[in-house]
Amino acid sequence: MTQKELTDYNIGQNLDWIANLDPRGYGVCRILYDAARRYTGEPLSLHAAKVLCEHVGAGDLVYILTGFVLLDNQAAETDGIVGSMLLCRALARAFGAKPVIVCPEENLPAVQALSRVVGLHLYESIAETRENPVSMAVIPFTKDKAQAAREAEALLQNGLPAAVVAIECPGENAVGEYHNSKGRRTTPLEAKTDVLFERLKQAGVPDIAIGDLGNELGMGTLSEQLARYIPRAAEGTCVCGCGGGLAARVGATHLITATVSDWGCYALMAALAYLQEDIEIFHDADLEAEALTAAARSGMVDMYGWTIPAIDGFDLQTNRSVVTMMRECIRYAPKLRETCREWFDETLALGYFETV
């Protein structure tokens, strides 16, 4: 192992750990991360960032699937849409890519407001997005499963994207139903983007999924761990009577799990900024606060139903702190590359990191 390889590994691990901080103390993030880390074989954030660096270039489309509509308020939550819009910014800055948000109609006000926060011109068609610089598109996706395949094929007429990323995007279970964290059925509320995600996978498009419980699109990769250790995930344990449990059916090739899905997305962006050696690809705490406030003012709700700048119960200050810590990780290490070379050489010579 070289000094660079060791630094890359530890930066990725740091970002994963921050994304999986567990202020609630209930441990679900540990359960998910354990399985995802064994599956991936290296830090999740760094691994997914490498996928984007390998496959995305200037002018390429990147589909971002997001938008969980909550049952009690029948409103879209802040988790997912905030990270997705900030990822649009990161992809545009890092590669000159053309991000395309695919979401339920409830997310449209936030997409419109946040496009101005992240500095991208927003269009309602992929053709317009291709033609104009510094731009992105938003495509509302159907909630009618009978129409989903048709809408997916219509999107593919625009050409294949370079990658697809699902962030806090609801995923159907083994019997085709969608559930919230309590195991209650939310199927009529959710966009049926599983069809699009699977169609893109079949076409060979690199895919990444980010989730924090197991009911999100892509988390089917961890089905064994979900069924064994996540409440209401196993078949027959949800409360709606469908018999399928809350665990998502569709599995992703590349996974990021986190305490909050948006934190997993932030880790991905930070790792991308590190690999590209441009810290400004990753947003700072001030932009985080502006984005989260804009989402709340646009009608997005915290998981508890409040229209406040919070994500999954974590307030503005907590989210600012997460972003700041991630930025410090990717800022600090490159500055000490030469200063600490001797320490790296001596540490590596003792062989511990040959076993990780």
Side-chain angles (χ1 to χ4, degrees):
M1 180 179 282
T2 65
Q3 177 180 349
K4 183 181 185 309
E5 289 170 339
L6 178 58
T7 304
D8 289 356
Y9 172 86
N10 283 317
I11 291 295
Q13 199 65 63
N14 289 341
L15 296 174
D16 283 9
W17 282 335
I18 295 171
N20 283 276
L21 288 173
D22 189 12
R24 302 188 192 100
Y26 82 146
V28 166
C29 56
R30 303 285 188 265
I31 296 168
L32 296 178
Y33 185 77
D34 175 64
R37 185 67 170 75
R38 284 187 279 109
Y39 167 79
T40 301
E42 65 177 325
L44 309 183
S45 54
L46 189 72
H47 176 84
K50 289 177 183 176
V51 171
L52 294 178
C53 289
E54 181 179 352
H55 293 283
V56 180
D60 285 345
L61 300 175
V62 178
Y63 284 6
I64 302 172
L65 282 49
T66 194
F68 219 118
V69 181
L70 303 186
L71 184 61
D72 290 339
N73 303 95
Q74 298 192 18
E77 65 171 329
T78 49
D79 192 20
I81 196 61
V82 175
S84 293
M85 290 299 295
L86 290 164
L87 179 60
C88 289
R89 172 189 176 274
L91 292 169
R93 291 183 68 98
F95 308 114
K98 303 286 188 172
V100 179
I101 295 281
V102 182
C103 62
E105 61 184 0
E106 286 86 349
N107 282 120
L108 295 181
V111 173
Q112 292 163 357
L114 284 165
S115 66
R116 293 185 284 273
V117 172
V118 303
L120 298 178
H121 299 276
L122 180 65
Y123 297 96
E124 295 180 358
S125 75
I126 291 174
E128 289 177 293
T129 303
R130 287 188 184 277
E131 293 172 2
N132 293 287
V134 197
S135 62
M136 61 170 290
V138 60
I139 307 294
F141 204 79
T142 184
K143 298 182 180 185
D144 182 353
K145 193 167 185 178
Q147 298 296 322
R150 185 180 306 171
E151 289 198 8
E153 291 304 320
L155 277 174
L156 295 184
Q157 296 305 307
N158 295 282
L160 291 176
V164 57
V165 186
I167 305 169
E168 186 66 12
C169 186
E172 68 176 17
N173 69 5
V175 297
E177 302 288 355
Y178 297 75
H179 293 76
N180 64 14
S181 61
K182 297 178 181 179
R184 297 169 65 192
R185 179 176 176 270
T186 64
T187 303
L189 300 176
E190 313 302 354
K192 306 302 184 287
T193 46
D194 305 69
V195 173
L196 176 60
F197 190 84
E198 288 192 291
R199 180 68 180 81
L200 293 171
K201 280 190 66 176
Q202 291 166 2
V205 174
D207 63 275
I208 299 167
I210 304 174
D212 59 26
L213 179 66
N215 58 341
E216 303 91 359
L217 178 58
M219 293 298 111
T221 304
L222 308 180
S223 58
E224 183 178 341
Q225 189 91 335
L226 297 176
R228 186 172 183 180
Y229 295 116
I230 300 299
R232 296 175 287 276
E235 292 184 5
T237 61
C238 58
V239 300
C240 74
C242 76
L246 64 78
R249 172 185 63 82
V250 176
T253 308
H254 309 286
L255 294 174
I256 296 177
T257 63
T259 302
V260 175
S261 292
D262 274 349
W263 295 1
C265 188
Y266 300 166
L268 170 62
M269 288 184 278
L272 179 61
Y274 170 74
L275 291 175
Q276 296 288 97
E277 298 184 347
D278 180 4
I279 195 171
E280 296 309 320
I281 290 170
F282 184 45
H283 63 287
D284 61 18
D286 289 342
L287 186 54
E288 168 71 14
E290 189 176 355
L292 186 48
T293 300
R297 298 295 180 263
S298 301
M300 306 301 102
V301 299
D302 177 50
M303 67 180 291
Y304 300 115
W306 293 89
T307 56
I308 58 173
I311 307 176
D312 279 4
F314 297 110
D315 63 14
L316 198 56
Q317 184 58 47
T318 303
N319 286 282
R320 286 178 61 100
S321 298
V322 166
V323 169
T324 297
M325 284 299 299
M326 288 183 181
R327 275 182 68 94
E328 285 304 295
C329 285
I330 63 174
R331 182 189 68 84
Y332 197 71
K335 290 174 56 178
L336 299 178
R337 190 171 291 144
E338 293 301 322
T339 304
C340 295
R341 184 175 297 279
E342 180 180 351
W343 283 99
F344 274 95
D345 290 343
E346 293 181 6
T347 300
L348 286 166
L350 296 176
Y352 173 84
F353 286 101
E354 298 301 325
T355 66
V356 299

